[in-house]
Amino acid sequence: MDKTLFSDGLNGLDTKNKDAVTLYNEISLLAMKCAGDISETKGRRNAYYLSMEFLIGRSFYNNLMELGVLEETDKFLSGKGLDIRMFEEIEDAALGNGGLGRLAACFLDSAAGLGLPLHGYGIRYKYGLFKQAFKNGFQEELPDDWQRFGDPWSIRREDEKRLIEFADMKVYAVPYDMPVFGKRINRLRLFQAEGDGEAQKISEYLYPADDTKEGKILRLRQEYFFSAAALGELTEHFFKQYGKRFEKFPEYNVIQLNDTHPVICTAEFIRLLTVKYKFSFSSALDIAKRTFNYTNHTILPEALECWDEEYMRAVLPEIADIIIRISVYADREFQSLGCDKEQAKEMAIYKGGKFYMANLAVYIAGKVNGVAELHTEILKNDLFKTVNRFYPEKLQNKTNGITHRRWLELCNKELSELLDRTLNNNWRGDISRLNELNGFNGETADAFIEVKQTKKRQLLNYIKDREGVEIPENFLVFAQVKRLHEYKRQLMTAFAVLEVYYGVKSGKYHDLPPCAFIFGAKSAPSYRRAKTIIKFINEIAAKINSDVQCAERLKVVFVQNYNVSYAEKIVAGTDVSLQVSTAGLEASGTGNMKFMMNGAVTCGTMDGANIEIVERAGKENNYIFGATVEELARLKAEGYSPSEYLDNPERCKAVESLIDGTFSDGGTGNFKELYESLINEDNYFVLYDLESYVKTIIQVCTDCKDKKTFAAKQLANVANSAFFSSDRTIKQYAQDIWKI
Ligand code: 26Q
């Protein structure tokens, strides 16, 4: 970064009569000009992260921070009577929908920060994840036209566009490069689809509705489009440098597949090597096996991709043939390893006219990793148990992480400054030094209480402005923010809140300290039950917030359009992080880590990375409740009958409120459907865990009355959060998988 050039440019900037969007573009472009070029990649080993999603959020503040000019820009604007927060009107780049996409963004940040050559490949969607608004408590989806503010952080590379061919159309993949700043400048390359009519549609929407054949085929096109473009250019660059010696390709390139979404490119790679460079199928397959690795992010059956041969054949016939051929090789290999029929079938890539993409991924990948210890155990013992038996070296764990630059330094300046004052080392340069905070004294605890109060005040003011809900700052703040899904059990929190509410009204919880519950989540547009849960929580919020009897005791708010930027405010201002998924179903969670690093205690189940969080911060400093994986396995075996657990009046009243007329679902019948699914199946054990959940919430509330002791628990979480920096995760990937 040429800081003098930047300073000169900044000081020469005329801010008069310019709106936020204009200034945003001018300052961003200036920073881009002064930042320097993307670091050299030639002649060395590079790692590539292929992902359908990169949930970047806002680039402006983060990039200026990474470039070391955020403070200067802040001062400059103040001098002109402007507030740097004016750029909060520039909306996030939401090219992802949740954890998997945000993880990809954190990884790029950490790799650049550590000086490791990791580059991203993805899609430049015209519209990112929809903007959410509530109308009458129902979720409404609005298009996310993020480019209308301009896109100063990308550079279009027209000269490097390439043609991607489908059976029925040809489309250009035009690269847009976003530099990722750190010790190195790495590159995130997003491809935009261009061509006639239909072609453009490929990069139009993140998650086209895939409940129709057309929708499914469009998603397939998206997957092939960007991953084939990536492999096309990687092989071409290699050829230019080293000629046809592709057996050396894996020495220079290692590719990480972010879930199964880009896995189709393994077949594309084999196609390129056999058709264009005349390799035999078996050597091409061998080279592929030494190039690719695969990360699994979910064990939910509905999220494991599987393509109908018919669809694949319609648009990618050659790829369909190649996958079938890989499948034949795989079968042969399984047999030679001594698999029986059953085992071979379980691992089969092609069966019953369908392609099983996770099986393809696992077969080709050198390493397959889970994203938290428990998740990896489940992969080893359950989803991929046969793989693990015949390829014991393949499966490994890489517990997720979050970049502490965005999720501590940027979103919590106050806490960062407290750490600067308290630690005699440069924790910003080496987050592992945060551990030295353990053994903090009373003074630090007092200072922390003040920081938390400041961040809470900022958050509650923001919520008042945005949502119109006023929460006094003496309230204890609980938050559950994440995608809306039944397994994450926002519904269980809703029932718990209602139970607390009824208990407060009846006098059962007469000395409960005041508390607020913040929800934030988007539901997939076609996920009916998830949308019903949003409506239900909004109904509960309206009822509780308008009950004057509870005005000083309880508040509930479901914030609209929860996204990365909202998360930055919520994680900093929250006291209690709710992580209550059904044990075994949340692969890792990363929100849990963000809250921990900002000093919230976790109230959660023994699931995903929660287990590792409490292992490090101490069970005594967090609130663990609910059934474990083992307990649920027993329960399932014995036969679970949900209605048995409705044995207390407040709980009954809370659950029955879905059908007894307390709340209205606008005549859709959705509340009744939800109620019946609970009483009859309760696949996610909401009713089973509800009792211990409410008890735990009450315990948290009781404990928080002793401010100092509670702050000490919160600080213990900060002190032990270094492990969850994605710097640690990336170092592990670099060492164990990528060898960079
Ligand atoms: C599947 C089939 C067809 C179309 C789409 C999909 C699909 C799309 C997105 C399946 C899964 C996803 C996203 C998954 C995801 O975000 N998983 C989260 O990954 C995080 C990072 O590892 C974990 O922390 C979370 O636990 C996990 O839920």
Side-chain angles (χ1 to χ4, degrees):
M1 176 74 175
D2 187 338
K3 287 197 183 173
T4 323
L5 191 64
F6 183 81
S7 297
D8 291 350
L10 196 61
N11 291 317
L13 200 73
D14 179 12
T15 57
K16 254 185 249 127
N17 303 324
K18 283 184 185 157
D19 62 0
V21 176
T22 309
L23 281 174
Y24 159 76
N25 277 290
E26 288 182 2
I27 297 173
S28 304
L29 288 172
L30 174 65
M32 282 286 268
K33 189 175 87 183
C34 306
D37 294 332
I38 287 172
S39 308
E40 192 52 65
T41 57
K42 277 208 178 97
R44 65 174 299 168
R45 183 170 169 79
N46 288 280
Y48 299 92
Y49 203 77
L50 267 57
S51 178
M52 286 280 272
E53 305 185 21
F54 286 91
L55 186 43
I56 301 164
R58 238 180 232 131
S59 292
F60 185 82
Y61 302 108
N62 195 69
N63 283 351
L64 294 191
M65 178 179 77
E66 303 274 1
L67 292 168
V69 293
L70 181 57
E71 226 161 281
E72 185 187 347
T73 309
D74 188 2
K75 283 208 186 102
F76 166 79
L77 290 167
S78 305
K80 301 277 179 187
L82 299 168
D83 184 340
I84 195 164
R85 283 175 303 181
M86 71 196 284
F87 302 121
E88 292 190 6
E89 89 174 52
I90 313 298
E91 280 162 25
D92 290 22
L95 309 184
N97 93 114
L100 164 151
R102 184 53 233 174
L103 186 74
C106 282
F107 279 5
L108 291 187
D109 185 85
S110 278
L114 293 166
L116 293 167
L118 172 73
H119 317 277
Y121 278 116
I123 300 179
R124 185 171 190 263
Y125 301 101
K126 174 145 182 39
Y127 299 101
L129 187 62
F130 66 85
K131 264 171 48 176
Q132 178 196 55
F134 295 147
K135 203 168 179 185
N136 251 328
F138 289 105
Q139 168 173 298
E140 286 216 325
E141 297 109 28
L142 306 159
D144 165 51
D145 186 10
W146 64 280
Q147 291 171 24
R148 74 180 188 283
F149 302 99
D151 180 19
W153 299 104
S154 296
I155 304 163
R156 181 179 165 99
R157 297 304 304 265
E158 181 80 34
D159 52 323
E160 294 193 40
K161 72 179 177 193
R162 68 182 47 245
L163 199 62
I164 303 296
E165 296 187 37
F166 295 93
D168 54 346
M169 67 162 85
K170 289 187 175 54
V171 48
Y172 278 110
V174 184
Y176 280 74
D177 289 346
M178 300 182 95
V180 186
F181 302 114
K183 213 177 264 171
R184 283 177 54 94
I185 305 184
N186 286 330
R187 188 183 77 180
L188 168 58
R189 172 163 278 199
L190 301 177
F191 293 106
Q192 173 165 293
E194 295 183 13
D196 311 327
E198 292 294 294
Q200 240 119 283
K201 279 200 182 150
I202 292 178
S203 63
E204 195 160 34
Y205 285 101
L206 170 78
Y207 289 113
D210 64 357
D211 45 3
T212 60
K213 179 176 173 179
E214 286 67 38
K216 286 200 173 70
I217 287 183
L218 181 53
R219 171 147 179 113
L220 183 59
R221 286 194 207 274
Q222 291 186 325
E223 296 189 354
Y224 180 75
F225 164 75
F226 90 97
S227 62
L231 266 298
E233 77 176 37
L234 290 178
T235 48
E236 211 170 280
H237 286 175
F238 182 86
F239 181 72
K240 279 196 188 129
Q241 266 202 295
Y242 305 101
K244 269 189 160 187
R245 293 150 61 202
F246 276 93
E247 60 285 348
K248 283 188 165 299
F249 186 84
E251 282 173 36
Y252 293 93
N253 302 281
V254 53
I255 297 174
Q256 192 69 34
L257 302 169
N258 199 22
D259 217 288
T260 53
H261 317 154
V263 165
I264 195 163
C265 77
T266 58
E268 170 67 4
F269 182 67
I270 292 174
R271 190 187 71 82
L272 290 168
L273 257 52
T274 51
V275 176
K276 204 165 160 191
Y277 301 107
K278 309 293 175 208
F279 276 76
S280 72
F281 193 89
S282 66
S283 23
L285 178 59
D286 175 66
I287 298 169
K289 283 176 161 188
R290 291 190 287 122
T291 302
F292 294 96
N293 303 288
Y294 155 62
T295 307
N296 172 282
H297 296 268
T298 178
I299 59 156
L300 293 182
E302 64 268 29
L304 292 176
E305 284 185 301
C306 163
W307 290 109
D308 278 344
E309 182 182 358
E310 180 204 336
Y311 294 178
M312 183 90 71
R313 220 163 257 299
V315 290
L316 296 164
E318 261 183 291
I319 294 295
D321 287 337
I322 290 172
I323 300 181
I324 290 176
R325 233 175 133 186
I326 299 173
S327 181
V328 172
Y329 269 79
D331 275 336
R332 236 182 272 153
E333 189 174 312
F334 298 156
Q335 265 164 41
S336 75
L337 290 170
C339 291
D340 62 29
K341 274 228 166 78
E342 198 65 18
Q343 291 166 329
K345 190 168 172 200
E346 192 191 315
M347 296 191 287
I349 294 165
Y350 172 64
K351 53 189 166 187
K354 286 187 196 313
F355 299 114
Y356 289 80
M357 303 310 270
N359 285 353
L360 173 59
V362 167
Y363 175 65
I364 299 265
K367 297 288 176 213
V368 174
N369 75 286
V371 291
E373 275 169 19
L374 174 69
H375 171 59
T376 302
E377 283 312 301
I378 294 173
L379 294 183
K380 285 182 179 172
N381 300 321
D382 201 358
L383 191 61
F384 300 140
K385 63 174 184 302
T386 307
V387 175
N388 194 44
R389 172 143 173 225
F390 292 97
Y391 302 89
E393 306 287 296
K394 225 175 228 205
L395 283 144
Q396 17 173 295
N397 179 244
K398 292 285 167 283
T399 297
N400 282 168
I402 54 164
T403 168
H404 61 272
R405 283 167 290 276
R406 184 180 286 265
W407 297 108
L408 175 54
E409 288 192 61
L410 188 63
C411 79
N412 204 336
K413 197 170 160 203
E414 292 82 351
L415 180 53
S416 301
E417 285 168 359
L418 169 61
L419 294 172
D420 287 339
R421 292 197 300 276
T422 313
L423 304 173
N424 0 325
N425 62 46
N426 171 20
W427 65 274
R428 293 173 194 253
D430 177 5
I431 189 73
S432 69
R433 294 183 171 168
L434 212 59
N435 291 318
E436 288 167 34
L437 191 60
N438 279 306
F440 55 84
N441 57 26
E443 213 177 295
T444 307
D446 286 337
F448 175 78
I449 291 174
E450 217 167 282
V451 166
K452 190 50 98 182
Q453 201 57 39
T454 304
K455 297 314 284 181
K456 187 185 292 188
R457 192 178 312 125
Q458 292 168 3
L459 169 63
L460 298 179
N461 278 329
Y462 189 74
I463 289 179
K464 185 172 81 190
D465 289 347
R466 293 260 303 224
E467 321 296 339
V469 176
E470 228 171 304
I471 300 170
E473 62 169 274
N474 62 323
F475 275 44
L476 184 71
V477 172
F478 293 77
Q480 186 173 18
V481 291
K482 46 186 78 258
R483 285 175 307 145
L484 214 131
H485 203 290
E486 287 168 276
Y487 84 81
K488 294 179 187 277
R489 300 200 292 191
Q490 284 96 347
L491 180 60
M492 186 168 77
T493 309
F495 289 145
V497 170
L498 268 181
E499 260 197 73
V500 171
Y501 170 65
Y502 293 134
V504 165
K505 286 190 72 91
S506 71
K508 180 173 172 185
Y509 301 133
H510 58 90
D511 61 351
L512 198 76
C515 50
F517 288 83
I518 298 174
F519 293 88
K522 289 178 184 175
S523 157
S526 61
Y527 190 171
R528 176 170 165 202
R529 273 197 201 146
K531 286 183 141 176
T532 303
I533 293 167
I534 292 180
K535 169 66 175 167
F536 183 52
I537 295 173
N538 275 326
E539 287 284 301
I540 293 172
K543 184 175 180 75
I544 293 179
N545 296 345
S546 64
D547 186 335
V548 285
Q549 226 189 329
C550 287
E552 306 295 318
R553 306 292 300 281
L554 197 57
K555 291 281 171 199
V556 182
V557 60
F558 204 133
V559 304
Q560 296 171 83
N561 201 38
Y562 172 66
N563 60 9
V564 172
S565 291
Y566 222 136
E568 289 169 14
K569 296 179 195 303
I570 293 173
V571 296
T574 292
D575 293 301
V576 187
S577 153
L578 299 175
Q579 307 295 339
V580 302
S581 51
T582 312
L585 296 185
E586 188 68 274
S588 163
T590 44
N592 47 4
M593 301 168 184
K594 294 162 198 164
F595 281 106
M596 178 200 199
M597 204 174 265
N598 284 275
V601 297
T602 296
C603 170
T605 49
M606 283 301 252
D607 196 17
N610 295 353
I611 297 172
E612 291 160 76
I613 286 176
V614 300
E615 188 179 295
R616 286 187 167 73
K619 264 200 170 169
E620 69 285 5
N621 296 317
N622 289 288
Y623 295 85
I624 293 299
F625 72 93
T628 59
V629 171
E630 295 78 25
E631 196 175 335
L632 290 181
R634 248 178 286 133
L635 193 62
K636 276 183 220 166
E638 286 162 9
Y640 167 52
S641 98
S643 50
E644 270 174 45
Y645 299 88
L646 281 178
D647 52 0
N648 125 330
E650 276 105 17
R651 195 165 320 128
C652 250
K653 201 169 164 195
V655 176
E656 301 280 319
S657 76
L658 274 172
I659 48 160
D660 67 6
T662 310
F663 300 116
S664 160
D665 64 5
T668 56
N670 288 342
F671 283 176
K672 184 158 180 285
E673 196 279 334
L674 186 60
Y675 174 83
E676 278 165 4
S677 81
L678 271 177
I679 298 300
N680 298 328
E681 297 159 19
D682 190 13
N683 288 325
Y684 301 97
F685 302 93
V686 168
L687 299 184
Y688 188 77
D689 277 343
L690 186 53
E691 180 175 8
S692 61
Y693 190 16
V694 175
K695 270 200 190 132
T696 308
I697 289 174
I698 299 299
Q699 186 65 51
V700 178
C701 290
T702 310
D703 288 1
C704 86
K705 288 186 202 164
D706 179 350
K707 282 208 158 104
K708 264 226 148 127
T709 313
F710 197 70
K713 288 179 195 282
Q714 296 188 317
L715 255 180
N717 276 280
V718 181
N720 294 289
S721 65
F723 179 81
F724 299 101
S725 164
S726 44
D727 285 11
R728 185 268 313 154
T729 316
I730 284 297
K731 281 184 200 158
Q732 292 180 331
Y733 273 92
Q735 234 176 50
D736 304 341
I737 304 182
W738 302 334
K739 319 279 182 203
I740 50 167

